[in-house]
Amino acid sequence: MSGASTFQDLPWTGHVRKEADKDLIGIGERVGNAIAIAFIVFFAALLYYLQGRGYIFSPEFSDVDAVLLYGVILFGIVPNIVRAITGRRNLGRLFDIINGLLFLVVGTYFLTKFPFHFDDLYTILPDDIQDLFSWFNDAVFRLLFQIALIITALSAVYQSVMYVLVRSELRRRASGGSG
């Protein structure tokens, strides 16, 4: 690649252009984002219900922990609201990045403190299927949580790069740039 190389010569240019082409979303995807909001709220309500019944959370789970946990979960609504209202995928991506970074900070805190108790969670299930889930305990949850943090970190990097490149491509198109 020469020093005179341009954006158009880079290997990811095609992918960025495709993402820019898909920036405007239709009514179906907007409705999908609204449905995702309902699922996030349902998930938060389910966790709150389980918390009230003494499941999942250990006695070390404090009010501050609750604010952090429910705050990061409910912030997950924001990217969906942005996409549903504006119809712009890349603008929603910006809030996905923020949400990912919040999850990394709060998730690392929870992994360090670990105010959870999953060892007996399977007991809330019907008797017929409890044996299928008795293997799910704190160690398994901790491993899954670590994997989720790694995936979130990688995703945040990818989303950040894509946000900047797609934004540049959209601005180039809006200014009538060729390429």
Side-chain angles (χ1 to χ4, degrees), residues 11-26:
W12 58 78
T13 304
H15 181 64
V16 170
R17 286 188 179 143
K18 287 178 187 173
E19 287 292 317
D21 291 342
K22 297 185 302 185
D23 187 52
L24 290 175
I25 60 176

Side-chain angles (χ1 to χ4, degrees), residues 113-174:
K113 182 178 181 184
F114 206 73
F116 305 107
H117 182 71
F118 285 93
D119 290 340
D120 300 321
L121 182 62
Y122 68 93
T123 60
I124 67 172
L125 299 170
D127 292 339
D128 298 343
I129 62 172
Q130 282 186 5
D131 288 341
L132 295 173
F133 293 94
S134 62
W135 58 269
F136 191 80
N137 58 26
D138 287 351
V140 171
F141 179 77
R142 189 181 292 267
L143 175 66
L144 293 174
F145 203 44
Q146 289 169 339
I147 291 169
L149 287 170
I150 291 168
I151 291 170
T152 300
L154 295 172
S155 175
V157 170
Y158 171 78
Q159 293 283 16
S160 297
V161 169
M162 288 308 298
Y163 173 75
V164 169
L165 294 177
V166 170
R167 187 171 137 223
S168 288
E169 174 65 11
L170 291 170
R171 284 184 173 173
R172 185 192 61 75
R173 289 178 184 186

Side-chain angles (χ1 to χ4, degrees), residues 2-157:
S2 71
S5 176
T6 64
F7 174 76
Q8 290 79 16
D9 299 328
L10 299 173
W12 58 78
T13 304
H15 181 64
V16 170
R17 286 188 179 143
K18 287 178 187 173
E19 287 292 317
D21 291 342
K22 297 185 302 185
D23 187 52
L24 290 175
I25 60 176
I27 190 70
E29 194 169 339
R30 285 179 173 204
V31 169
N33 278 283
I35 292 170
I37 291 167
F39 276 108
I40 292 168
V41 170
F42 173 76
F43 178 70
L46 178 64
L47 281 179
Y48 186 72
Y49 171 81
L50 292 173
Q51 178 185 355
R53 304 298 177 279
Y55 293 106
I56 297 179
F57 304 102
S58 72
E60 291 81 30
F61 189 78
S62 68
D63 290 341
V64 171
D65 295 339
V67 168
L68 291 173
L69 177 68
Y70 296 114
V72 80
I73 290 170
L74 293 174
F75 187 85
I77 293 171
V78 174
N80 294 295
I81 290 173
V82 169
R83 281 188 288 270
I85 291 173
T86 67
R88 306 298 297 235
R89 185 175 281 122
N90 205 48
L91 186 56
R93 183 178 283 132
L94 175 61
F95 291 93
D96 283 329
I97 294 164
I98 295 167
N99 191 39
L101 295 174
L102 286 172
F103 176 73
L104 285 171
V105 171
V106 172
T108 302
Y109 165 77
F110 280 133
L111 197 57
T112 303
K113 182 178 181 184
F114 206 73
F116 305 107
H117 182 71
F118 285 93
D119 290 340
D120 300 321
L121 182 62
Y122 68 93
T123 60
I124 67 172
L125 299 170
D127 292 339
D128 298 343
I129 62 172
Q130 282 186 5
D131 288 341
L132 295 173
F133 293 94
S134 62
W135 58 269
F136 191 80
N137 58 26
D138 287 351
V140 171
F141 179 77
R142 189 181 292 267
L143 175 66
L144 293 174
F145 203 44
Q146 289 169 339
I147 291 169
L149 287 170
I150 291 168
I151 291 170
T152 300
L154 295 172
S155 175
V157 170

